[in-house]
Amino acid sequence: MQTILKVIAASFILLANAVCASDTNVVLVTLDGVRWQEVFSGADKNLITNKDFVKQPSQLHDEFWDENPQKRQQLLMPFLTQTIAKDGVIIGDRKKGSTMSVSNPWYFSYPGYNEILSGEVDVNINSNDKVYNPNKTILERLNTHPEFKNSTALFGSWDVFPYIVNTQRSNVYVNAGFMPIENNLFDNAPLLNALQKEIPSPWVNVRLDSFTYRFAKAYMLAKQPKLLVISLGETDDFAHDGHYDAYLKSAKQSDAFLKDLWQTIQSTPGYKNKTTLIITTDHGRGSNANDWQHHSSKQALAKSAQGNKAFPEGIIGSEHIWLGAIGPAINGNGLIKINNVKQSQIAATVLEALGLQPYKINPNMAPAIKEILK
């Protein structure tokens, strides 16, 4: 009898320590380098008429400008500001006492994506070089468990993501940069693959977001992964190039993708009412005409003599980020007035939205953002 009890007790211990996923999914979307200023106040009056950054100020003015910041916000990102911010939650409007920032000391992309996807800060990740990430992302950690095997995936516009997710080690499905999609995944796959080759991107290492989104959506419908990450990249590159008009148009298109994604989720069996959508960014940007194109900390720019000379205090404010979320795991509280939320908390938030206990996946990751979860 005692032997049987010991076996039963051991079984309960094993069960308690196992990774047990509920019947839920998460889609995490990142919009690279989108400032909190545009998210919460729409087009910047100091940039929208600046001929250094806008080719046709009058046309852009007609599309994006209103004296009322709320109306400007709705002109730019209506889904994020009228649906997610009302039916879900949003964080990051610093003018209203809602703040969020990165934890890493660098304030640029690779360190930010590592932080978002691993829940940990690694100060040694201090460049955007194509170096395989020594840290394990939640995509990789979950992929080792039977409930999530071959059910995590990432689609990104930037060609560094295979290194961030460390596809050499992780066995996570990643489609990024100019990778084609499998021709048999959906009917239009061969056409989109051909168009991706034929339509030149302005950048050598970032494809146009339309391909990233269409590939990711098709994969989601075909494979129904439990955790899908979609990283759109145009906004950051247009900003670096000083094209505020294209930055705004890309942000508006990204918002349209989010709307379409949510409608698709809510009309797909297996996803409808079972999927949480989380949206965030990897870093912020400067706040005025002199530095809005850029982002980096004082510590990061100290490594560059030219950057350090131009911005001796770094790009102030580029650590400021934001987050929005909607779905069955999220409290519909709208804007949350909260201080000191960190980027590193996103990974654990994703895990809890999946019905998991983050400390069992990785005891070293930052805690979830409890204030947004049910």
Side-chain angles (χ1 to χ4, degrees), residues 74-85:
Q74 292 167 11
L75 287 172
L76 181 62
M77 306 187 82
F79 178 73
L80 188 62
T81 59
Q82 295 182 53
T83 300
I84 292 179

Side-chain angles (χ1 to χ4, degrees), residues 88-322:
V89 297
I90 197 163
I91 298 171
D93 189 347
R94 306 183 81 84
K95 291 182 179 179
K96 295 182 179 179
S98 179
T99 66
M100 185 174 184
S101 61
V102 305
S103 305
N104 72 79
W106 307 114
Y107 312 169
F108 55 82
S109 291
Y110 195 147
Y113 287 120
N114 170 70
E115 187 175 333
I116 290 169
L117 296 174
S118 72
E120 297 184 77
V121 175
D122 185 345
V123 296
N124 294 315
I125 296 178
N126 56 13
S127 78
N128 284 335
D129 294 345
K130 292 179 177 178
V131 177
Y132 283 108
N133 194 347
N135 307 294
K136 292 183 178 181
T137 67
I138 54 175
L139 294 157
E140 179 178 356
R141 291 181 183 278
L142 290 179
N143 194 49
T144 64
H145 294 277
E147 300 94 331
F148 287 90
K149 188 67 176 176
N150 299 320
S151 196
T152 68
L154 182 146
F155 285 77
S157 296
W158 191 30
D159 68 358
V160 181
F161 276 106
Y163 298 86
I164 297 172
V165 182
N166 197 336
T167 52
Q168 193 178 60
R169 182 193 64 217
S170 69
N171 294 317
V172 171
Y173 183 95
V174 174
N175 181 293
F178 298 94
M179 293 179 181
I181 196 69
E182 291 83 349
N183 277 326
N184 62 356
L185 188 68
F186 62 109
D187 290 343
N188 290 327
L191 174 61
L192 287 183
N193 283 332
L195 290 174
Q196 182 174 228
K197 285 185 176 181
E198 295 165 2
I199 300 173
S201 168
W203 314 287
V204 297
N205 62 343
V206 177
R207 70 178 164 200
L208 297 171
D209 285 339
S210 182
F211 294 108
T212 299
Y213 177 66
R214 298 300 170 188
F215 288 171
K217 179 182 174 181
Y219 185 91
M220 183 183 77
L221 292 173
K223 303 294 186 179
Q224 295 211 344
K226 291 185 67 63
L227 173 57
L228 175 64
V229 179
I230 306 172
S231 180
L232 304 179
E234 286 179 4
T235 43
D236 185 60
D237 287 272
F238 280 130
H240 280 305
D241 292 343
H243 301 318
Y244 191 66
D245 42 7
Y247 166 81
L248 290 180
K249 290 178 181 292
S250 182
K252 184 175 182 178
Q253 183 58 61
S254 296
D255 186 79
F257 288 147
L258 292 173
K259 180 180 179 180
D260 180 72
L261 178 63
W262 184 242
Q263 290 175 341
T264 302
I265 287 170
Q266 290 299 85
S267 61
T268 301
Y271 274 172
K272 181 180 180 180
N273 298 326
K274 296 180 179 181
T275 303
T276 295
L277 175 63
I278 300 174
I279 308 102
T280 190
T281 188
D282 54 329
H283 54 72
R285 322 194 72 81
S287 59
N288 57 60
N290 293 326
D291 64 5
W292 78 275
Q293 295 173 247
H294 312 295
H295 55 85
S296 275
S297 67
K298 179 179 180 180
Q299 186 175 347
L301 290 182
K303 296 168 33 176
S304 165
Q306 184 177 357
N308 191 38
K309 184 177 180 180
F311 303 102
E313 297 304 316
I315 310 300
I316 296 171
S318 57
E319 74 273 28
H320 300 159
I321 60 171
W322 52 271

Side-chain angles (χ1 to χ4, degrees), residues 21-77:
S22 60
D23 187 21
T24 56
N25 317 289
V26 170
V27 179
L28 171 64
V29 180
T30 63
L31 309 182
D32 200 305
V34 172
R35 302 192 307 172
W36 71 271
Q37 289 95 329
E38 276 83 16
V39 170
F40 295 100
S41 298
D44 189 323
K45 65 180 180 181
N46 295 317
L47 297 176
I48 195 171
T49 57
N50 190 319
K51 293 183 180 180
D52 289 336
F53 307 126
V54 177
K55 290 181 179 178
Q56 296 178 307
S58 59
Q59 181 180 333
L60 200 69
H61 187 278
D62 291 342
E63 183 176 358
F64 291 108
W65 184 254
D66 192 281
E67 291 294 335
N68 186 318
Q70 281 190 319
K71 290 184 179 179
R72 291 202 305 271
Q73 182 190 42
Q74 292 167 11
L75 287 172
L76 181 62
M77 306 187 82

